[in-house]
Amino acid sequence: MGSLRTFIKDVRAAKTLAEERSMITKESAKIRTRLKDDHLSLSKRRKNIQKLLYLYILGEKTHFAQVECINLIASDEFENKRLGYLAAMLLLDEKQELLTLLTNILKSDINHPTKYVVSMVLCTLGTLTSVELARDLYPDVEQILKFSKDRYLLKKAFQCAAKIVIKDPYLASVFHPYTVKIFSMPDVCTHGVLLGVNQLLQSMATVVKSNEFNDYDAVASTILKVVPELLGILKQTNSSTLNTAYDVHGVCDPFLQVETLYTLRLIFLTFKDEVSSYNSKFTSILGKMVTNVESSKNSANAILYEIVRTVFTLESQDSLRVQSINILAKFLSGKDINTKYVALNSLLQVVSLEPQAVQTHRKFISRCLFDPDISIQKRALELIFNIIEDSNMKETVDELVNFITLSDGEERDLILYTVEHLLTMFDIRGIKSKGWTLAVVIRILKSMGEHLTVEIIGEILVMINNATELSDKRDIALQLLQLSLSKDQPIISEDNFGWKLITVWIIGEYANLVLGEPGVTDISLTGYLNNLNNIYSDDHKLIGYILTAALKLSSRISDPGCIEKLRQLVKAHEQNTDLVIQTKAVHYSILFSQPKEIKTAFLEAMPVFIKNVAHELDSGEKAISRKPVQTDLLGDLLSDIPSEKKPVASISNKPGGGSLDLLLHSFTNKNPSLGASAPLTTTTTSSTSDQPVTIPNIQISENIPSSALEIHTSSAIQVFSHVESANQGSANIRLFFKAKSSVTQLAVLVAVSKTQKLNLGTISRVNMIPGQVATQLLTITGSGILKFRIKLSSQNGINLQFDHKFDTTL
Amino acid sequence: MAIHFIICFNKQGILRLGRWFQSSGHSLQDKNSLAQILKLIMSRDSRTQSNIIDFDDRTKLVYRRYAGLYFVMGVSLEEDGLLYLAHIQLFVEVLDLFFGNVCELDILFNFYKAYMVMDEMFIGGELRETSKELLLDRLTQLEKLP
């Protein structure tokens, strides 16, 4: 049997994958047989285990050798032990019962006279800390911390202690004194040892509040002594001039600096009251560090990033927060991709806390849209949507549209994400200048129409349909049609399905507004529909739209030849193999031949779609979502920062079905943000039905204040909201329910977004006669945009839900 | 703050070193995850794409390529990616000093030594020594042992 080296060489030299495979299987089988042989010498065993480890790296099964590791460790020779420990760390894991076999050997080896053996035990223990091992070996680790002067052993012992404390929190009371003691021994305080101390402190801070840890005060008093030392380390490493041993590109030990920052952060969070006297000192050091660290190298940026995180976790002063955001923005302007990526991530995390400060760096953020890395683009996009406000709206939207038109359709997800968010934003903010938003939409449609989903196109249709100014509609119709009908070089790409669909719809709805404009004639419009009808005969979606458009157009034009052509078009589809189209065509044909007066009444342009209307939950099965928009908004409400895939995923192919799922999800999961813990079933209703008809609540005025906003109205009930107070982090909102018809046992469920918590007050009455008002107070705490979803139900048939978003951000 | 795993593989996607720290509870050690990680990393363009990427809902990958070898660390999402880039850099520098101009073959034939370097630097997924001098001192001593 050859050596390890030969084996590795042979495997490498294998010419085909099959040859390699057979070589490996053969060797693996050989090793297995050999290891079974009780008479195999230790040196041969060692050789076999070495090969086995190589097989492990190659991803082979090696479990049969696990006991063998323990045999090697049990040997007296260092050589065997060394390989045994390496193999144990690679092949065993914490869950295995074999570890119990290891306990005794570890216990004796940890007191081995050779420090290298002790060191290996500590390393193994740090890697494979099971609860049992932790409890069996902690006294030995403590002995090392107590007596050893060897910095190699000390640093490992600290790290083992850190792992042990995590496994058994009670042991924190054993180890905490050593975190102070070590600072009295400066000669062994190498950075490695300090890293270990940091880790032990982190473990302590992590466990000390859990499990009703009973030695909290003792640990806290230790911590109080450690904090000045840690601050000292920070100050010293941060300001120290070149120290070659720890230098990383001109920065002194960034690892220790970051580790110490992290430890301090945990301590200041966990022992907030105990260490409050050090707050100002810590802040001033952070302030100095910010100016001290020169951001140009990766390691320096790592420290800066950690400082920023600390500043925001500790709710430091505003000036420091703004300074931190400026640092992050500076990252963005640099060339390093990783730093940019990290900076955008962090900005996303803090944007809700300091929107204004982030706002000032919008230029840099926008520039990241054009970064070649898609994950950077995506984060920049998210961030931009977070900081859009009225003052920069036009400029920002322009940039966004530029971005998607230049992206060449390569990243469809990003385009969809952008368009969808733009439309939602237009919708929610109720942008006043409709003409401008429509122009934006046309731009998007023109260059990106082929990438848009049917749902987004539907949303655009609603937007055009709901435009209040007739002149806006006319403008957009004219623009679309003139481009579509243009005889010159086709401006609109052949594949631009979205554009075509919308044009067809516009011809049906608004032909009368634009007929007579240059190029827009009975003939040209009829020709356009006919042409599309021929080209896309197998696209049922488009054909459906064409049929409607043809029918509607026929009532708006006068040229008899054209009307006849349209009639033929419709008639031809009476034979369509698609049943839906066929039905439509048959119905339309009948309508077609009706007298003009009747037709005209039928074929009026569509009225305004009412958005955000509650969809009735018919028997809890079919929610009739009027528009895909709804689904979208619902999806949005569930998380403030939708993931990249979300826009596509949140749109359900079955309208209604998707939104119902979301709804159920929102109301049934155990999300703490739910106002009522009752699931969608009748619990809430039944709990209130035991109570008297009205719950007297003297203090609450049931007069709806004039400033209250109507957020919902249906045939049964009107809902108003009134923001009573909204400060940073919390808001009181009063809801008023005004009955339009009598209401019995009204049950109100409210959900807020994940970043917020909701406290739902008692409703003043559950039964109402028409005109009566019930009121209820919501207290929302947390961060992010203020929005909620309300679900109302009553015993006499109210069953609806709707969403509302406020302009306020917590 | 802990590393879930450290792996090192070559351009052909063959693993040369791998250490999974069980304490993270999310090791992604199975073949499938590993194949996904390798595929993801190798498909990235080093000039235009960042060296930090989210892998799943718990892990992000921090990686760097040195000649024909990729070094990858899996860490929790909330970790400071830049710091782990520095970790990788330090690890590679120490390997380089220890082997003397390290190359893939050094690591391949002496993987147990490479593991020794790794174990001197990381314990249970935590960095434990940052001084290259001390590390080399220690490693040379260890190498002399039988």
Side-chain angles (χ1 to χ4, degrees):
Chain A
M1 175 162 162
S3 67
L4 169 69
R5 208 178 169 79
T6 344
F7 177 46
I8 297 178
K9 267 189 185 157
D10 289 348
V11 173
R12 249 172 71 81
K15 288 195 182 62
T16 62
L17 212 62
E19 192 186 332
E20 184 184 299
R21 193 97 294 272
S22 96
M23 214 181 279
I24 289 173
T25 333
K26 250 189 231 157
E27 194 68 29
S28 174
K30 259 194 215 165
I31 295 173
R32 210 170 172 148
T33 342
R34 270 164 218 261
L35 288 179
K36 274 187 196 150
D37 178 4
D38 290 338
H39 303 292
L40 191 72
S41 71
L42 270 175
S43 71
K44 288 246 171 74
R45 273 180 200 278
R46 209 168 53 227
K47 209 183 235 174
N48 278 293
I49 294 288
Q50 276 186 334
K51 285 190 194 170
L52 191 87
L53 291 185
Y54 178 59
L55 292 178
Y56 165 84
I57 297 173
L58 293 178
E60 291 302 303
K61 286 205 172 81
T62 48
H63 54 91
F64 57 85
Q66 287 169 345
V67 183
E68 207 58 41
C69 317
I70 297 175
N71 286 339
L72 279 176
I73 296 175
S75 147
D76 287 333
E77 285 166 61
F78 183 75
E79 211 177 355
N80 294 329
K81 273 191 191 300
R82 167 140 84 179
L83 185 65
Y85 277 117
L86 174 60
M89 281 190 275
L90 289 175
L91 306 185
L92 299 182
D93 67 55
E94 284 170 19
K95 284 166 225 116
Q96 268 150 0
E97 291 171 9
L98 280 174
L99 282 188
T100 49
L101 288 178
L102 204 56
T103 316
N104 284 331
I105 312 176
L106 288 178
K107 188 113 183 143
S108 88
D109 272 359
I110 202 170
N111 297 306
H112 202 279
T114 316
K115 59 176 181 177
Y116 297 109
V117 174
V118 183
S119 158
M120 283 189 308
V121 176
L122 289 172
C123 192
T124 311
L125 188 58
T127 311
L128 297 170
T129 335
S130 66
V131 181
E132 292 76 22
L133 274 181
R135 289 185 184 147
D136 285 334
L137 285 162
Y138 83 85
D140 305 282
V141 176
E142 195 197 350
Q143 288 302 304
I144 296 174
L145 289 179
K146 207 178 225 165
F147 298 114
S148 178
K149 296 267 181 278
D150 183 327
R151 46 198 188 177
Y152 287 108
L153 293 185
L154 275 173
K155 71 180 178 197
K156 290 186 187 179
F158 270 114
Q159 245 137 351
C160 278
K163 300 277 172 197
I164 289 173
V165 168
I166 291 286
K167 290 290 168 185
D168 186 352
Y170 286 96
L171 295 176
S173 46
V174 174
F175 288 113
H176 72 85
Y178 299 101
T179 54
V180 191
K181 188 186 154 228
I182 194 72
F183 289 105
S184 60
M185 304 157 55
D187 46 327
V188 291
C189 268
T190 62
H191 286 199
V193 174
L194 291 176
L195 281 176
V197 176
N198 267 300
Q199 271 146 25
L200 179 54
L201 287 167
Q202 287 163 19
S203 298
M204 280 162 40
T206 315
V207 301
V208 83
K209 286 220 166 152
S210 67
N211 304 333
E212 295 159 5
F213 182 72
N214 51 12
D215 215 1
Y216 180 83
D217 291 342
V219 174
S221 82
T222 301
I223 294 277
L224 203 58
K225 286 180 213 144
V226 169
V227 169
E229 303 287 351
L230 292 179
L231 290 173
I233 299 178
L234 212 50
K235 208 168 156 184
Q236 200 192 336
T237 42
N238 191 248
S239 58
S240 82
T241 43
L242 210 61
N243 177 345
T244 43
Y246 297 104
D247 174 63
V248 178
H249 301 292
V251 181
C252 178
D253 204 341
F255 307 103
L256 183 61
Q257 291 195 44
V258 170
E259 199 78 42
T260 313
L261 273 171
Y262 178 62
T263 312
L264 281 166
R265 191 160 84 220
L266 275 183
I267 289 178
F268 275 78
L269 279 177
T270 317
F271 304 93
K272 198 172 181 185
D273 302 327
E274 286 87 347
V275 299
S276 58
S277 54
Y278 290 108
N279 277 349
S280 59
K281 191 163 181 209
F282 191 22
T283 314
S284 98
I285 291 179
L286 285 175
K288 276 202 197 101
M289 286 177 83
V290 169
T291 42
N292 225 358
V293 181
E294 201 186 321
S295 122
S296 56
K297 291 288 187 299
N298 178 57
S299 45
N301 288 345
I303 300 176
L304 283 173
Y305 174 69
E306 206 61 33
I307 296 174
V308 173
R309 290 218 291 191
T310 310
V311 165
F312 277 94
T313 332
L314 298 183
E315 295 163 6
S316 308
Q317 315 144 349
D318 292 351
S319 62
L320 209 49
R321 293 197 342 187
V322 172
Q323 217 176 343
S324 305
I325 286 181
N326 293 345
I327 294 178
L328 291 175
K330 209 167 144 199
F331 283 5
L332 288 184
S333 56
K335 274 194 196 129
D336 186 74
I337 314 166
N338 300 316
T339 317
K340 267 195 231 177
Y341 175 89
V342 167
L344 284 171
N345 262 342
S346 337
L347 284 172
L348 270 173
Q349 283 161 22
V350 301
V351 65
S352 58
L353 298 170
E354 288 287 344
Q356 282 313 314
V358 179
Q359 181 75 256
T360 49
H361 302 289
R362 199 174 53 81
K363 285 242 155 58
F364 290 127
I365 300 169
S366 300
R367 215 177 283 164
C368 293
L369 285 178
F370 300 94
D371 197 281
D373 187 349
I374 180 171
S375 44
I376 287 185
Q377 291 181 334
K378 202 206 129 202
R379 282 168 177 79
L381 258 185
E382 266 183 44
L383 201 52
I384 288 174
F385 276 111
N386 265 296
I387 54 171
I388 289 189
E389 52 179 45
D390 293 346
S391 62
N392 57 34
M393 172 85 67
K394 286 203 174 180
E395 203 183 335
T396 315
V397 170
D398 248 10
E399 282 165 1
L400 288 173
V401 175
N402 261 341
F403 158 66
I404 54 173
T405 37
L406 287 176
S407 72
D408 255 1
E410 271 172 28
E411 299 296 350
R412 187 163 184 260
D413 281 355
L414 281 189
I415 295 173
L416 291 180
Y417 177 93
T418 315
V419 176
E420 199 161 331
H421 277 72
L422 276 176
L423 294 177
T424 314
M425 185 183 72
F426 288 160
D427 189 44
I428 289 177
R429 298 202 180 218
I431 306 292
K432 290 191 188 73
S433 149
K434 281 280 182 202
W436 171 71
T437 52
L438 290 175
V440 170
V441 169
I442 291 284
R443 266 181 76 193
I444 294 174
L445 207 52
K446 199 162 139 188
S447 51
M448 288 289 121
E450 64 263 47
H451 302 293
L452 302 182
T453 59
V454 175
E455 285 77 7
I456 290 184
I457 292 169
E459 207 171 319
I460 295 177
L461 286 181
V462 176
M463 201 173 144
I464 299 172
N465 186 73
N466 288 3
T468 40
E469 296 295 322
L470 210 57
S471 61
D472 288 340
K473 287 191 188 186
R474 198 188 138 273
D475 287 350
I476 195 169
L478 192 61
Q479 257 191 65
L480 270 163
L481 290 177
Q482 282 182 337
L483 284 173
S484 299
L485 302 172
S486 142
K487 293 254 164 28
D488 315 327
Q489 214 63 346
I491 302 162
I492 304 304
S493 132
E494 268 305 304
D495 313 322
N496 197 334
F497 179 78
W499 177 278
K500 286 176 179 154
L501 196 135
I502 289 180
T503 310
V504 168
W505 185 81
I506 291 240
I507 291 177
E509 299 298 315
Y510 306 121
N512 52 330
L513 298 180
V514 288
L515 272 168
E517 296 289 340
V520 186
T521 60
D522 292 5
I523 295 168
S524 66
L525 292 181
T526 311
Y528 186 77
L529 290 184
N530 249 326
N531 187 25
L532 285 189
N533 182 46
N534 293 336
I535 301 175
Y536 295 97
S537 54
D538 47 0
D539 187 327
H540 296 163
K541 175 111 192 147
L542 190 62
I543 295 292
Y545 275 82
I546 292 177
L547 282 174
T548 311
L551 177 65
K552 288 197 159 189
L553 181 62
S554 73
S555 72
R556 313 214 197 300
I557 56 175
S558 46
D559 182 297
C562 289
I563 295 179
E564 178 55 23
K565 269 188 192 161
L566 292 172
R567 202 180 67 79
Q568 292 299 338
L569 189 159
V570 176
K571 193 144 187 63
H573 285 291
E574 285 181 19
Q575 312 294 327
N576 199 300
T577 46
D578 183 89
L579 196 62
V580 176
I581 298 216
Q582 197 185 96
T583 317
K584 215 174 204 175
V586 171
H587 289 167
Y588 284 4
S589 282
I590 298 169
L591 254 179
F592 215 103
S593 41
Q594 298 301 315
K596 190 159 183 172
E597 315 82 69
I598 298 179
K599 256 171 95 174
T600 322
F602 269 115
L603 304 175
E604 281 283 316
M606 289 296 291
V608 169
F609 282 105
I610 299 162
K611 284 183 145 199
N612 265 358
V613 104
H615 27 250
E616 310 285 332
L617 297 174
D618 293 345
S619 68
E621 213 181 278
K622 275 192 299 183
I624 303 151
S625 160
R626 304 262 310 251
K627 282 283 109 201
V629 170
Q630 291 254 333
T631 347
D632 177 19
L633 278 172
L634 298 186
D636 208 21
L637 194 83
L638 290 174
S639 80
D640 267 327
I641 304 162
S643 69
E644 190 171 346
K645 287 176 190 139
K646 187 89 176 292
V648 194
S650 72
I651 292 161
S652 165
N653 287 331
K654 310 166 277 179
S659 58
L660 181 66
D661 287 349
L662 286 170
L663 166 74
L664 284 174
H665 170 70
S666 156
F667 278 111
T668 48
N669 72 5
K670 296 201 175 75
N671 194 323
S673 65
L674 287 183
S677 58
L680 207 55
T681 54
T682 53
T683 339
T684 317
T685 342
S686 60
S687 71
T688 48
S689 63
D690 298 330
Q691 292 166 357
V693 182
T694 50
I695 300 165
N697 200 337
I698 325 139
Q699 299 190 330
I700 296 166
S701 149
E702 286 173 357
N703 294 327
I704 303 169
S706 54
S707 55
L709 200 68
E710 183 185 299
I711 54 176
H712 169 78
T713 177
S714 72
S715 56
I717 200 160
Q718 260 181 310
V719 184
F720 298 85
S721 77
H722 179 237
V723 182
E724 294 192 335
S725 67
N727 305 318
Q728 221 173 15
S730 110
N732 284 330
I733 295 165
R734 184 164 289 285
L735 294 178
F736 296 89
F737 305 94
K738 185 173 183 181
K740 282 182 162 174
S741 59
S742 67
V743 174
T744 46
Q745 298 299 343
L746 180 68
V748 183
L749 292 169
V750 183
V752 292
S753 59
K754 278 179 190 159
T755 53
Q756 298 164 353
K757 280 196 174 173
L758 172 72
N759 202 339
L760 200 59
T762 330
I763 191 164
S764 62
R765 63 181 76 225
V766 291
N767 297 335
M768 285 177 273
I769 53 165
Q772 233 178 354
V773 176
T775 154
Q776 188 167 25
L777 184 70
L778 314 179
T779 311
I780 300 176
T781 50
S783 61
I785 294 173
L786 208 51
K787 54 186 177 179
F788 54 54
R789 172 181 308 165
I790 294 185
K791 182 174 161 47
L792 297 177
S793 58
S794 78
Q795 279 184 356
N796 61 335
I798 296 180
N799 195 359
L800 49 86
Q801 71 142 18
F802 59 89
D803 295 332
H804 185 73
K805 186 167 180 171
F806 294 87
D807 294 334
T808 326
T809 302
L810 281 183
Chain B
M1 301 183 103
I3 301 160
H4 298 179
F5 56 84
I6 303 174
I7 53 179
C8 161
F9 55 91
N10 67 11
K11 277 188 297 192
Q12 286 79 41
I14 304 172
L15 211 59
R16 288 304 179 212
L17 282 180
R19 164 77 92 208
W20 284 264
F21 299 101
Q22 311 287 344
S23 47
S24 67
H26 188 59
S27 65
L28 299 173
Q29 195 174 357
D30 60 293
K31 276 200 167 160
N32 203 359
S33 313
L34 192 60
Q36 278 181 33
I37 293 172
L38 263 55
K39 199 174 150 202
L40 175 66
I41 300 283
M42 291 197 293
S43 68
R44 289 175 69 80
D45 179 341
S46 60
R47 274 168 304 120
T48 59
Q49 294 189 293
S50 63
N51 296 71
I52 306 163
I53 178 165
D54 293 355
F55 179 68
D56 60 18
D57 54 351
R58 295 172 66 181
T59 319
K60 67 179 167 198
L61 306 174
V62 180
Y63 71 97
R64 194 153 251 175
R65 184 175 158 180
Y66 296 87
L69 282 182
Y70 289 93
F71 289 81
V72 184
M73 283 185 184
V75 296
S76 301
L77 287 183
E78 68 277 4
E79 297 276 10
D80 176 356
L82 300 176
L83 182 72
Y84 290 95
L85 279 177
H87 274 106
I88 293 175
Q89 176 71 24
L90 184 69
F91 180 45
V92 174
E93 280 177 24
V94 174
L95 281 176
D96 198 50
L97 290 168
F98 177 67
F99 284 106
N101 218 346
V102 69
C103 69
E104 186 184 342
L105 291 184
D106 290 325
I107 294 179
L108 170 63
F109 286 108
N110 303 295
F111 62 84
Y112 47 95
K113 285 189 188 171
Y115 273 116
M116 183 174 85
V117 176
M118 198 191 274
D119 291 336
E120 276 307 307
M121 290 183 69
F122 302 96
I123 184 169
E126 312 268 5
L127 184 70
R128 69 180 199 205
E129 183 55 74
T130 54
S131 157
K132 277 179 264 177
E133 240 168 72
L134 287 181
L135 277 168
L136 281 176
D137 243 26
R138 173 75 171 183
L139 289 168
T140 342
Q141 279 173 37
L142 285 175
E143 212 192 1
K144 280 187 202 138
L145 297 173

